[in-house]
Amino acid sequence: MSASDFEERVITVPLRDVKAAPGHERAGKAMSLIREHLARHFSVDEGAVRLDPSLNETVWAQGNQKPPSKLRVRAARFDEDGESIVEAEPAE
């Protein structure tokens, strides 16, 4: 694996758009927004974004109706079997 095959960044994902969703759907919508944001910024399909379970726990920590308004995420893009994959976890 060469250095050009691996890229890591810390990105702040704005989640203010979840306020438009009904209260009982907000945490799920937040997870979708995180996936869309990372796919857009790393130029991959949404299916190529893998979210760590600890990221899910961070979003759901205050319940379904009160996800965070923004979230810092450490994301890394790398090549696996000829296609780009992005893995994300919460930044600390």
Side-chain angles (χ1 to χ4, degrees), residues 1 6-7 9 15 27 34 37-38 41 43 46 49 54 57 59 63 65 67 76-77 81 83-86 88 90 92:
M1 177 179 284
F6 184 78
E7 177 185 3
R9 289 188 265 177
L15 297 175
I34 292 168
H37 191 82
L38 292 174
H41 283 272
S43 301
E46 287 183 33
V49 177
S54 61
E57 291 172 7
V59 170
Q65 297 184 359
R77 177 176 57 188
D81 298 330
E83 54 183 76
S84 293
I85 301 293
V86 175
E92 295 166 13

Side-chain angles (χ1 to χ4, degrees), residues 1-8 42 76-79 84-85:
M1 177 179 284
S2 68
S4 63
D5 293 341
F6 184 78
E7 177 185 3
E8 184 176 42
F42 281 97
R77 177 176 57 188
F78 57 92
D79 290 333
S84 293
I85 301 293

Side-chain angles (χ1 to χ4, degrees), residues 38-70:
L38 292 174
R40 182 170 56 243
H41 283 272
F42 281 97
S43 301
V44 297
D45 293 331
E46 287 183 33
V49 177
R50 296 178 186 163
L51 302 178
D52 192 69
S54 61
L55 187 62
N56 190 42
E57 291 172 7
T58 303
V59 170
W60 282 81
Q62 295 180 358
N64 192 12
Q65 297 184 359
K66 295 183 182 179
S69 60
K70 59 185 170 183

Side-chain angles (χ1 to χ4, degrees), residues 15-22 26 65 67 69:
L15 297 175
R16 64 181 158 271
D17 291 343
V18 298
K19 301 281 190 210
R26 286 184 179 172
Q65 297 184 359
S69 60

